[in-house]
Amino acid sequence: ETGVTQSPTHLIKTRGQQVTLRCSSQSGHNTVSWYQQALGQGPQFIFQYYREEENGRGNFPPRFSGLQFPNYSSELNVNALELDDSALYLCASSTGLAGGLEQYFGPGTRLTVT
Amino acid sequence: EDQVTQSPEALRLQEGESSSLNCSYTVSGLRGLFWYRQDPGKGPEFLFTLYSAGEEKEKERLKATLTKKESFLHITAPKPEDSATYLCAASSGSARQLTFGSGTQLTVLP
């Protein structure tokens, strides 16, 4: 069984630029959630995709957007990067609303904005 | 607003010295309470899900318990390899999104 994978591992961007992060969900999972984890803090929910539709959103501005593809992989896009966007971005997959609640996390993408 | 608070922020134990980590939660419509382990620079690793007050789950040296307001992660006779940050999270809402605490950083000294 393949776990959740994310790419790239690390990324350095300049303030004002745009970034795309990618996630492949665990085999058999159709739901993907994205979280932002600042240093020393717990992860914060950004949004969730279920069957290619956004299914819930946390307290993040519209410049954070996403996509889910038919194979259930997902992208997180962040426009107009700010210094405070520097964080570990985590993707988690699960079996969907009719299944179990457990979310399984990938290794994360470390984004640094300078 | 959903809130999850973990204590202590950091805990240092000698190998073999048992202790407990606390997670207090205020969540509307709790669907489940989760414990994760996170090693530095890595994603959280799933440990347990608890659904109702009185429920207990065990895995090796770890046991998680749940009341209506709190969850505890008991660590019995810990080893240095148990050193990590332990995160507690509550699931709620239509998206069953996780609300995390800030974690307890556990260090077990040999």
Side-chain angles (χ1 to χ4, degrees), chain B residues 30-96:
Chain B
L30 180 74
R31 295 178 179 272
L33 192 292
F34 299 80
W35 284 95
Y36 286 86
R37 169 191 170 128
Q38 187 173 28
D39 292 302
K42 296 190 176 180
E45 175 190 344
F46 171 76
L47 293 174
F48 302 109
T49 310
L50 301 166
Y51 292 101
S52 57
E55 190 174 358
E56 298 183 354
K57 288 198 177 168
E58 285 189 67
K59 180 181 178 179
E60 296 181 357
R61 295 176 292 281
L62 301 176
K63 182 168 85 172
T65 61
L66 182 66
T67 72
K68 288 187 177 179
K69 294 184 179 179
E70 293 177 303
S71 179
F72 294 92
L73 185 65
H74 307 278
I75 303 176
T76 303
K79 298 182 178 182
E81 53 262 42
D82 295 323
S83 297
T85 295
Y86 290 85
L87 294 165
C88 168
S91 173
S92 65
S94 59
R96 304 182 181 185

Side-chain angles (χ1 to χ4, degrees), chain A residues 35 37 48 97 101-103, chain B residues 36 38 49 95-96 98:
Chain A
Y35 292 82
Q37 187 175 24
Q48 182 184 87
L97 301 182
L101 298 177
E102 291 81 9
Q103 296 187 21
Chain B
Y36 286 86
Q38 187 173 28
T49 310
R96 304 182 181 185
L98 298 177

